[in-house]
């Protein structure tokens, strides 16, 4: 029997991204999967767009912008209470290939696996996203020719991150002291410390918008912070 997956998408004023994100998710070839959007006090009609056009998607509306970590944790609580065995955190400015989740879930059968990321491509889907490529190179992998379908890493970029329910139950949720940066790095460190394995699944693909120079990091990748902190250890 397939494991039950809940995809959690925190959003704030994401109407320009959500249609493509949700439409691609609806074409996912894996079941059972449900989608929960945590709306972080949007003012651009994001929750209305979802409720009017994507009936299977659940929306949790927040009255104030509580930050990424708190929004995710509210979604995780809901997912675990509903019996989710696997939770996937996904940014609003992503879209997915139809087989992204079936390929990702193949890796879950490893007993010690805790966290997994698909390959993250640019928004056009034409090449590896620059910051994700930096993550792979930092770990010694060839971006153009990865060493197999599953690559072991110390952390992953949280724009698309799969977490087994056992990890949340063992180490807790994202640290809400991180309002918008650094929370998945901290989470991955704690997961490693608890004995869980972290991987990138190269056969699974999610496309993520790369930010322009000087733009606020809507994708929250902040790879430079990760590299500096890991290098200093």
């Amino acid at each position: 029997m397939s494991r039950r997956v809940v995809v959690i998408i925190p959003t704030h004023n994401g109407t320009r991204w959500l249609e493509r994100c949700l439409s691609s998710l609806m074409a996912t070839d894996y079941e059972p999967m449900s989608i929960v959007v945590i709306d972080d006090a949007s003012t651009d009609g994001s929750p209305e767009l979802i409720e009017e056009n994507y009936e299977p998607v659940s929306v949790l509306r927040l009255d104030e912008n509580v930050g990424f970590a708190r929004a995710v944790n509210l979604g995780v609580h809901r997912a675990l209470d509903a019996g989710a065995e696997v939770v996937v955190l996904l940014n609003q400015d992503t879209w997915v290939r139809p087989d992204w989740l079936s390929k990702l879930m193949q890796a879950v059968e490893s007993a010690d696996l805790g966290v997994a990321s698909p390959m993250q491509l640019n928004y056009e889907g034409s090449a590896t996203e620059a910051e994700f490529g930096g993550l792979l190179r930092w770990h010694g992998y060839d971006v153009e020719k990865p060493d197999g379908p599953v690559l072991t890493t110390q952390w992953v970029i949280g724009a698309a991150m799969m977490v087994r329910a056992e990890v949340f139950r063992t180490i807790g949720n994202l640290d809400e002291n991180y309002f918008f940066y650094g929370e998945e790095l901290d989470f991955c460190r704690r997961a490693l410390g608890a004995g869980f394995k972290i991987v990138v699944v190269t056969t699974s693909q999610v496309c993520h918008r790369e930010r322009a120079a000087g733009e606020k990091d809507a994708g929250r990748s902040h790879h430079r912070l990760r590299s500096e902190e890991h290098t200093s250890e």
Side-chain angles (χ1 to χ4, degrees):
M1 181 180 296
S2 297
R3 296 174 186 258
R4 183 175 181 184
V5 178
V6 176
V7 178
I8 297 174
I9 306 171
T11 186
H12 178 71
N13 294 336
T15 53
R16 56 181 169 166
W17 311 112
L18 285 169
E19 185 172 1
R20 187 169 191 185
C21 178
L22 295 175
S23 294
S24 67
L25 281 170
M26 300 296 286
T28 296
D29 66 1
Y30 180 92
E31 293 183 353
M33 179 196 77
S34 57
I35 305 166
V36 178
V37 175
I38 313 299
D39 185 76
D40 224 349
S42 293
T43 58
D44 68 344
S46 292
E48 292 81 8
L49 170 72
I50 299 167
E51 291 167 351
E52 292 171 7
N53 297 281
Y54 299 95
E55 184 177 352
V57 177
S58 298
V59 181
L60 175 60
R61 297 189 187 212
L62 305 182
D63 294 330
E64 61 179 330
N65 186 349
V66 299
F68 181 83
R70 176 60 176 160
V72 165
N73 287 343
L74 290 170
V76 169
H77 283 305
R78 174 177 283 199
L80 296 183
D81 286 346
E85 298 172 89
V86 174
V87 174
V88 178
L89 311 183
L90 199 64
N91 275 20
Q92 63 182 0
D93 55 354
T94 60
W95 62 274
V96 302
R97 307 288 194 193
D99 64 352
W100 74 286
L101 190 52
S102 58
K103 295 291 180 65
L104 197 58
M105 290 300 294
Q106 291 175 6
V108 179
E109 300 311 315
S110 172
D112 60 347
L113 178 69
V115 179
S117 169
M119 284 290 288
Q120 295 181 25
L121 308 183
N122 60 21
Y123 200 67
E124 295 72 30
S126 59
T128 303
E129 184 192 36
E131 289 184 298
F132 198 80
L135 179 151
L136 295 178
R137 283 189 291 271
W138 192 93
H139 286 91
Y141 295 117
D142 186 332
V143 176
E144 301 302 324
K145 296 180 180 179
D147 303 337
V150 178
L151 310 178
T152 300
T153 61
Q154 296 181 35
W155 78 95
V156 292
I157 292 174
M161 184 171 76
M162 184 207 77
V163 184
R164 291 178 61 176
E166 293 92 329
V167 180
F168 289 115
R169 296 190 181 103
T170 301
I171 69 171
N173 294 338
L174 299 185
D175 187 340
E176 295 178 12
N177 289 315
Y178 298 91
F179 185 82
F180 202 63
Y181 293 99
E183 63 287 318
E184 65 262 51
L185 172 59
D186 169 76
F187 187 84
C188 286
R189 281 177 166 171
R190 287 188 281 132
L192 280 175
F196 292 104
K197 188 176 180 180
I198 299 173
V199 303
V200 171
V201 181
T202 62
T203 54
S204 172
Q205 295 183 345
V206 169
C207 301
H208 179 219
R209 183 182 71 101
E210 294 181 291
R211 59 195 167 113
E215 182 183 2
K216 288 184 178 180
D217 190 358
R220 308 162 30 270
S221 299
H222 47 87
H223 178 74
R224 182 175 63 84
L225 170 65
R226 290 192 173 92
S227 297
E228 291 173 350
E229 294 193 8
H230 276 279
T231 302
S232 66
E233 291 182 349

